[in-house]
Amino acid sequence: MNTVLETKKAKLKSVTTKKTRMKKILSYLAFVGPALIFFIVIQIIPFFMGVYYSFTSWNGISSATEWVGLENYKKIFTNDERFFDSFMFTTKFMFAAVLISNIIGFSFALLLNSALKTRNLLRTAFFIPNVIGGLLLGFIWQFIFVRGFSAIGEMTNISFFQQAWLGDAQTAFWGIVIVFAWQISGYMMVIYIAALQGVDTSLLEAARIDGASTFTTLRKIIIPLILPAFTICFFLTISMAFKIFDLNLSLTGGGPFNSTQSVAINIYQEAFTNNNYGLGSAKSILFFVVVAIFTTLQVMLTKRKEVEA
């Protein structure tokens, strides 16, 4: 009799456990399912379609696609100097933009983490440029560079404002860097502030009591403790700088004479202006691989520094 009762209890417990597990699975699917479906439809499927089209000569319009194998990739490496020029510009821009954006963002974070009465207002003011769309921001700064700076230059005769900021390759490069840093620094500032607020204040007080200077405290205590924030910010700024499109398009359009053409604009023109969708897809796949390598190496290096610290 006891054996029968124990068997029934075990079966009931098994059924209850299965129902509970099923409810958990259904609840997970309810929350994760829609996002996963959108991710697959918007990201994964187009990516693999792009990989397929990179081996074809499709023009983006006709229904017929001709398989050409590695021909598009050979053409990029043997007969497309403009693509490599745009890649060199984008790489140079990435290094400058990442360095300047993170320096400004971290400096703002240090300033606004202190006991300033207006710190909430300043945080909002510094973050607002990140909310403005890239195209709109580019056209605003185009007006500033072309009309605003020239007007100030005429009134003050300061050579800095009298330059053709978007008409010369060198100044146009730095113009794009300035606008990118102005837009993204506020976002980096928020991440750094969140990290700084997690630093144990007792460590800072102990360092002050021991006579450590502000710079020593920053270098020896604060920066090592918030290295994960640097990892995140470097990753975000590297990927954003590599993929720059809207700011570049609205500020210079790749000019003068394609000297400030980013890789994203080059791919866009190849696929949608020249109707070489296959070649454009091949360029985008190569670009994806390069960005993945850069960001992976950066994360590995900064993660190693975190462990060492």
Side-chain angles (χ1 to χ4, degrees):
M1 187 71 179
N2 289 334
T3 307
V4 174
L5 287 172
E6 286 176 3
T7 305
K8 286 183 177 180
K9 285 180 180 179
K11 286 182 179 179
L12 183 62
K13 187 177 180 180
S14 176
V15 171
T16 307
T17 304
K18 285 181 180 179
K19 285 183 178 179
T20 306
R21 191 180 301 163
M22 186 58 67
K23 284 181 181 179
K24 284 185 178 180
I25 293 171
L26 289 173
S27 63
Y28 290 152
L29 286 175
F31 283 102
V32 179
L36 185 62
I37 290 169
F38 278 109
F39 179 73
I40 292 171
V41 172
I42 296 172
Q43 297 285 343
I44 302 299
I45 293 175
F47 174 78
F48 284 106
M49 288 176 66
V51 173
Y52 166 73
Y53 286 127
S54 70
F55 295 104
T56 68
S57 61
W58 188 42
N59 60 11
I61 300 171
S62 65
S63 57
T65 57
E66 182 185 353
W67 183 268
V68 294
L70 295 173
E71 195 62 36
N72 288 326
Y73 293 95
K74 290 178 183 177
K75 192 179 293 184
I76 292 170
F77 285 105
T78 58
N79 194 27
D80 200 336
E81 291 183 8
R82 184 173 292 181
F83 177 72
F84 285 99
D85 289 341
S86 65
F87 188 82
M88 291 302 297
F89 164 79
T90 307
T91 305
K92 185 171 71 169
F93 168 79
M94 182 272 294
F95 282 111
V98 167
L99 183 64
I100 294 171
S101 299
N102 281 281
I103 289 173
I104 295 173
F106 185 59
S107 301
F108 283 165
L110 289 173
L111 176 66
L112 299 181
N113 196 47
S114 58
L116 289 174
K117 291 183 178 179
T118 58
R119 62 181 179 180
N120 290 331
L121 180 64
L122 290 173
R123 286 176 187 177
T124 305
F126 291 147
F127 185 76
I128 281 176
N130 188 69
V131 180
I132 304 172
L135 279 173
L136 180 60
L137 199 66
F139 286 124
I140 291 171
W141 272 92
Q142 187 187 63
F143 177 82
I144 292 171
F145 281 129
V146 175
R147 299 292 182 85
F149 277 21
S150 63
I152 296 172
E154 288 177 5
M155 290 187 292
T156 60
N157 286 325
I158 299 174
S159 59
F160 177 83
F161 297 105
Q162 292 176 332
Q163 300 179 75
W165 271 89
L166 301 181
D168 179 74
Q170 193 68 24
T171 52
F173 169 81
W174 287 110
I176 299 171
V177 171
I178 289 168
V179 179
F180 179 87
W182 186 77
Q183 180 189 28
I184 211 70
S185 295
Y187 186 27
M188 300 303 108
M189 173 198 72
V190 171
I191 298 172
Y192 285 127
I193 286 175
L196 288 170
Q197 290 179 345
V199 175
D200 190 352
T201 54
S202 63
L203 293 173
L204 303 180
E205 290 173 2
R208 290 193 196 98
I209 292 170
D210 289 340
S213 64
T214 303
F215 179 73
T216 303
T217 304
L218 177 67
R219 189 167 61 91
K220 296 289 186 179
I221 299 175
I222 295 176
I223 290 179
L225 287 175
I226 65 166
L227 277 177
F230 282 97
T231 300
I232 295 168
C233 289
F234 282 142
F235 176 82
L236 290 173
T237 46
I238 286 172
S239 58
M240 290 176 182
F242 260 125
K243 295 184 294 184
I244 185 172
F245 177 79
D246 45 6
L247 278 180
N248 193 192
L249 183 67
S250 55
L251 274 172
T252 63
F257 306 109
N258 297 312
S259 59
T260 63
Q261 185 184 76
S262 67
V263 176
I265 288 182
N266 183 275
I267 293 170
Y268 173 83
Q269 289 181 348
E270 192 69 67
F272 301 107
T273 304
N274 301 336
N275 289 331
N276 292 328
Y277 202 92
L279 185 59
S281 297
K283 288 182 178 182
S284 65
I285 297 301
L286 287 175
F287 186 45
F288 166 78
V289 171
V290 171
V291 174
I293 291 171
F294 265 91
T295 50
T296 303
L297 288 174
Q298 174 264 312
V299 170
M300 288 172 61
L301 289 172
T302 49
K303 281 288 183 184
R304 190 179 300 166
K305 290 291 183 183
E306 288 178 29
V307 175
E308 290 174 0

